[in-house]
Amino acid sequence: MADSPIAVFDRLTRVDLPQHTPVLLDTACVLGGSIAGLLAARVLADHARTVLIIERDQVNVAGLPRAGVPQDRQGHGLLPGGLAQIERWLPGLTQEAQDLGAVLVSPDQQVVYLDGHQQVRSGDAQILMGSRPFLESRIRSRVLALPNVSTLSARATGFEYRNDAVSAVRYVVDGVEDVVSVDFVVDAMGRSSKLSEWVEQAGYDRPRLQRLRTGISYATALFERADKPDDLDLACALGQFSPPSSPDGLAVGAVNAIEDDQWLVMLMAYGENQPSRSIEAFRSTCAKMPPIFGEAVSGAVTREILTYHQADSRRRDFAGLSRFPARLVSVGDAVASFNPVYGQGISSAALHASCLSEYLVGNPALTMPAAEFFALQGVVVDAAWTISAGGDAARLDAIAGVEVSEDVRRQRWAMDQLIRATLVDETVAQAFNAVAFMLAHPFSLGDPALVERAVAAHQRASAVS
Ligand SMILES: Cc1cc2nc3c(=O)[nH]c(=O)nc-3n(C[C@H](O)[C@H](O)[C@H](O)COP(=O)(O)OP(=O)(O)OC[C@H]3O[C@@H](n4cnc5c(N)ncnc54)[C@H](O)[C@@H]3O)c2cc1C
């Protein structure tokens, strides 16, 4: 009998290194040298004589923003689930990042507000805060230090195939085409990966693309952090319940301590609503939020507001394709890119690397499509999608007045009870956060005893308020 999604997720979130790492490949090639590609390269380094990362941007370890990752100017946090996996593959990275100024936030230094009400603090999971370019640069310096990993500054343009397997990658450097023979390829080209087009043109199945139109707008600015207001390093304010009570049409705001003694302040809105774009309006919105927001934006601006719009959450389903090339997998945003406000992207990429490890440690038949890999990865994608797209779908259905099935209605009611109970019950808050932090599978929240506890806690709290 196949393992349950909870059991698979528990296995993938383990933090010990594999005992046996067979070298199965001569040249493994990773397309895209961003966070998902770098973490995949780290795992491949255990199983290939040479790992070549092809990245179209000129990158170095300096930690500068770059064209190929436009989202990297926006707020990023590394959830405990992803941090544990990154620490698994690159031991000591957390301490190195902290030594260079990243902030490791413990539960007593973070606070979450749901419509202005503070969530109960729970557990001991820590979140690593730093800017996206900084976090990527720390990962890059560690991965590129591996003796069998190298990079090629080039734009990948397609594949060559032999015996229904990818056998070479075509690329362009300075307008000149070339090709490299490979015996395994990982697509980590982000949400606009061209892999689907490439395989379809060669006569293989195109992975089905699911989209949920969320229409989110981000605005992020950096401020000098003179001191530590309230001794907090991280605050998140969500307009959770209907109608949300956030100011100026906002859905979410976050204040994060990052490297170089700065506050990164992010405001996010859905649909027609737009977060403030001038510093004056930005400060005025923050002044209407919990006090730490106003305090964080009172310092000097160290980087002006930059905005980002994302039309949809999307996932590509690779499991169950009947005709797909062997020796080819896809990871990170190329597979699923979620509503970023849930902060799941880097953690998902790290768990995809762990899926790749479990697949290769199992000594798979490399002449066949990587079905075992896609099945493992499907569990991780489903887990993240259930939380983020599930939450967004409920919001969109409520706005549009869509009638949903009784099953869906019950699930959404249970989730609402759990979320409300995180304001008053530590056990529920801990179970909920384990899922939100990608340490546990969302099915763990379906435990009837937990839902009953949430209902009772919420009723008790309503009775006294
Ligand atoms: C606004 C916003 C906020 C976010 N906040 C968070 C957060 O708080 N926490 C979190 O965990 N995640 C967050 N995410 C998600 C996170 O940014 C990504 O999940 C993460 O960066 C992993 O992405 P990736 O490596 O798969 O793809 P990307 O980072 O998009 O990288 C793709 C890479 O592929 C390269 N590439 C593309 N095409 C080619 C080609 N043909 N040849 C060679 N190279 C190519 C690109 O140059 C790029 O380097 C956020 C996303 C957004 C949009």
Side-chain angles (χ1 to χ4, degrees), residues 403-422:
E403 284 287 324
V404 294
S405 70
E406 186 56 21
D407 267 4
V408 171
R409 202 190 58 74
R410 275 171 195 276
Q411 284 163 15
R412 289 180 180 173
W413 174 83
M415 189 57 94
D416 186 61
Q417 294 297 310
L418 289 163
I419 293 172
R420 288 177 191 277
T422 63

Side-chain angles (χ1 to χ4, degrees), residues 31-37 54-57 66 68-69 71 74-79 132 136 154-157 188-191 198 216 218 308 310 331-334 340 343-347 349:
L31 309 182
S34 187
I35 289 181
I54 298 183
E55 166 58 50
R56 65 184 172 186
D57 271 353
R66 58 194 180 88
V69 184
Q71 78 270 25
Q74 302 300 321
H76 276 70
L78 186 41
L79 297 179
R132 169 72 176 66
E136 182 186 306
R155 184 169 56 85
T157 52
M189 291 183 285
R191 70 189 252 125
W198 296 349
I216 56 124
Y218 260 55
Y308 185 90
Q310 185 168 296
V331 294
D333 283 17
Q344 300 166 315
I346 300 175
S347 295

Side-chain angles (χ1 to χ4, degrees), residues 126-361:
Q126 297 176 307
I127 298 177
L128 187 66
M129 301 303 317
S131 68
R132 169 72 176 66
F134 174 87
L135 295 173
E136 182 186 306
S137 75
R138 299 329 315 147
I139 297 171
R140 172 169 296 106
S141 74
R142 285 291 298 276
V143 173
L144 297 192
L146 297 170
N148 58 342
V149 177
S150 60
T151 55
L152 174 67
S153 201
R155 184 169 56 85
T157 52
F159 301 134
E160 293 181 2
Y161 305 86
R162 194 182 324 118
N163 299 329
D164 276 337
V166 171
S167 60
V169 172
R170 289 198 298 269
Y171 61 87
V172 174
V173 189
D174 296 332
V176 180
E177 288 202 352
D178 211 337
V179 65
V180 56
S181 294
V182 296
D183 47 17
F184 196 82
V185 173
V186 175
D187 158 35
M189 291 183 285
R191 70 189 252 125
S192 41
S193 164
K194 293 279 178 290
L195 175 125
S196 300
E197 285 84 339
W198 296 349
V199 295
E200 190 177 42
Q201 280 158 14
Y204 296 100
D205 285 351
R206 183 189 178 100
R208 187 170 71 98
L209 177 67
Q210 275 190 65
R211 283 181 158 168
L212 180 70
R213 299 212 171 272
T214 46
I216 56 124
S217 297
Y218 260 55
T220 296
L222 306 183
F223 300 85
E224 226 170 62
R225 184 190 187 198
D227 51 15
K228 296 172 75 178
D230 303 334
D231 232 4
L232 288 174
D233 287 324
L234 170 63
C236 199
L238 298 102
Q240 180 70 40
F241 307 118
S242 192
S245 64
S246 317
D248 302 338
L250 264 198
V252 179
V255 168
N256 311 337
I258 63 163
E259 75 275 7
D260 299 330
D261 294 322
Q262 296 176 98
W263 287 114
L264 182 152
V265 184
M266 178 281 278
L267 304 179
M268 182 279 231
Y270 284 105
E272 302 290 293
N273 294 318
Q274 294 288 323
S276 316
R277 284 169 180 241
S278 75
I279 281 290
E280 296 71 37
F282 198 91
R283 283 191 164 124
S284 141
T285 302
C286 289
K288 298 174 204 158
M289 299 176 71
I292 184 176
F293 283 81
E295 290 166 37
V297 296
S298 65
V301 176
T302 54
R303 200 202 66 199
E304 292 291 331
I305 298 170
L306 292 175
T307 57
Y308 185 90
H309 181 76
Q310 185 168 296
D312 57 20
S313 296
R314 52 175 79 169
R315 61 182 287 181
R316 296 184 171 94
D317 291 330
F318 290 82
L321 293 177
S322 55
R323 227 177 104 61
F324 196 73
R327 298 177 182 272
L328 177 62
V329 301
S330 198
V331 294
D333 283 17
V335 178
S337 118
F338 312 95
N339 179 341
V341 89
Y342 293 87
Q344 300 166 315
I346 300 175
S347 295
S348 294
L351 283 160
H352 295 177
S354 300
C355 295
L356 186 59
S357 167
E358 181 166 324
Y359 169 67
L360 292 171
V361 164

Side-chain angles (χ1 to χ4, degrees), residues 29-49:
C29 184
V30 180
L31 309 182
S34 187
I35 289 181
L38 290 165
L39 294 172
R42 160 61 193 89
V43 165
L44 288 169
D46 284 345
H47 299 278
R49 282 177 197 86

